Amino acid sequence: MNETHPSDSPLRVIPPLAALLAFERAATQLSFRRAARDLSLSPSAISHQIRGLEEQFGTKLFIRGTRTVKLTPEGERYLAKVSAALAILQEASGEVTRQRRDGNGELWISSLPFFTSAVLLPALPEFRRRNPGLTLRIEATHQYADFNASRVDVATRYGREQSAGLKFEPLVEVRSVPVCAPSLAKGRLRRPQDLADQVLIHLTSHPRAWPAWLKEAGLPHLQPRGHLWLDSVPAALEAAEQGLGVTLAMAPLIRMRPGFGRKLVAPIDFTSARGETIYLVTRTEQARDRRIATVRKWIVEAVRKAT
């Protein structure tokens, strides 16, 4: 009679799912940085997971260069198997999610924070009046929605990230415009160069926003009186309303903010020519889902009213 030892268990040789996901993303993108972005991790965390796999297997999966990485032959073979296994897991998880989603009246929306406050929330009472049987769960976040691993049904996002199985529809083009309290604007803030006397309010998630705007205004070397860094759009706008400095807002959506024109103004007659498009993102497979169509129509109408 043969004995089975714990070390013989097949589960012992299966690496953690987090490590497999890190490997698949890094191997597909051939970039630890892009893999980290996709998984909302740091590049060092991706590197740690992959190093753990290589130590477990006793072989290198990547050839690391100064700025690039490429797969070893072992890594290429492992990628093919891991991708196939993850695809099976994704399909199984998607089936369960679809059954759960189709069985109730909930719909999950992942939306940019300012778009949520400026466009979706003002239009929400009308949506609830028209669709009493459908409950919306709205998550305001800058992170890209993971349609494969989360409950998200609809998302609004900057830019068109290439991703199979997703449909991108342009909603509105926005441009950066400086805004501040009326007290700062009176008589001393009319031209871009007047920003040298002001405190610039930055978003930690968009550190290049002000430098890009100043460069476009022909003032790449402008030195303001000071800097204030905040971690969210609502906090930046609140700080601007309180007269703590000047921040960048999205035109034309900023005009929908309550109190615009009284507590917050756009005094500088210069708007960025470089626009960014906000897209509505849905799953291609849900093109005929009536709930998705209802929410899509509502968001499009809300954008039209806001602009």
Side-chain angles (χ1 to χ4, degrees):
M1 180 175 178
N2 295 329
E3 293 186 4
T4 300
H5 297 283
S7 59
D8 296 331
S9 170
L11 294 179
R12 293 277 180 157
V13 299
I14 299 178
L17 181 59
L20 295 177
L21 289 172
F23 169 74
E24 188 275 339
R25 283 290 81 201
T28 302
Q29 301 272 18
L30 288 181
S31 168
F32 287 8
R33 180 181 59 82
R34 288 196 291 270
R37 182 202 61 187
D38 288 353
L39 297 176
S40 298
L41 297 172
S42 66
S44 62
I46 297 293
S47 180
H48 176 75
Q49 294 283 9
I50 292 172
R51 193 178 301 114
L53 287 176
E54 292 176 328
E55 290 175 357
Q56 177 177 344
F57 298 144
T59 188
K60 291 291 185 183
L61 299 173
F62 287 91
I63 299 172
R64 295 161 174 82
T66 304
R67 294 176 178 267
T68 60
V69 294
K70 63 179 182 178
L71 288 167
T72 63
E74 292 81 3
E76 290 180 355
R77 288 192 290 270
Y78 194 53
L79 173 61
K81 299 291 187 180
V82 168
S83 296
L86 290 176
I88 293 173
L89 287 174
Q90 178 179 322
E91 176 58 29
S93 301
E95 183 176 339
V96 173
T97 300
R98 284 191 295 272
Q99 290 173 352
R100 187 274 311 165
R101 189 170 57 234
D102 295 342
N104 62 35
E106 288 187 350
L107 193 141
W108 294 67
I109 299 175
S110 175
S111 178
L112 295 162
F114 186 67
F115 186 88
T116 300
S117 60
V119 178
L120 298 188
L121 294 185
L124 193 54
E126 178 66 13
F127 179 88
R128 295 177 65 182
R129 187 184 66 81
R130 292 184 180 182
N131 305 279
L134 182 58
T135 299
L136 298 183
R137 292 183 177 268
I138 302 175
E139 178 188 28
T141 176
H142 284 288
Q143 290 188 347
Y144 277 88
D146 187 343
F147 281 82
N148 294 326
S150 71
R151 296 180 173 183
V152 174
D153 296 289
V154 177
T156 64
R157 285 294 175 267
Y158 284 125
R160 189 181 180 118
E161 290 289 313
Q162 295 300 320
S163 184
L166 296 181
K167 179 181 180 181
F168 290 78
E169 299 177 75
L171 284 174
V172 61
E173 187 175 66
V174 295
R175 290 177 168 80
S176 297
V177 57
V179 295
C180 65
S183 59
L184 289 185
K186 290 180 179 177
R188 46 183 172 150
L189 189 54
R190 291 288 181 269
R191 305 166 301 164
Q193 48 265 46
D194 295 336
L195 290 167
D197 298 324
Q198 304 295 331
V199 172
L200 300 187
I201 301 173
H202 303 260
L203 277 179
T204 54
S205 58
H206 290 78
R208 298 299 305 164
W210 266 118
W213 190 92
L214 290 170
K215 182 178 180 180
E216 194 172 349
L219 300 167
H221 304 297
L222 182 137
Q223 294 296 322
R225 183 164 59 87
H227 300 275
L228 174 62
W229 291 85
L230 295 170
D231 65 353
S232 71
V233 173
L237 293 175
E238 181 71 22
E241 288 179 351
Q242 294 183 17
L244 299 180
V246 185
T247 193
L248 289 172
M250 293 188 295
L253 299 182
I254 185 60
R255 300 186 181 279
M256 292 300 295
R257 182 175 174 82
F260 184 81
R262 292 185 297 103
K263 297 189 295 182
L264 201 66
V265 295
I268 297 178
D269 188 22
F270 179 85
T271 302
S272 173
R274 289 192 321 119
E276 286 195 84
T277 300
I278 296 179
Y279 289 89
L280 180 71
V281 189
T282 56
R283 293 180 180 85
T284 306
E285 67 190 54
Q286 290 181 280
R288 296 183 180 181
D289 189 314
R290 291 184 178 180
R291 299 169 313 126
I292 301 295
T294 297
V295 170
R296 176 192 172 280
K297 181 180 179 181
W298 167 63
I299 293 177
V300 170
E301 289 181 354
V303 169
R304 180 178 54 79
K305 292 179 180 178
T307 54

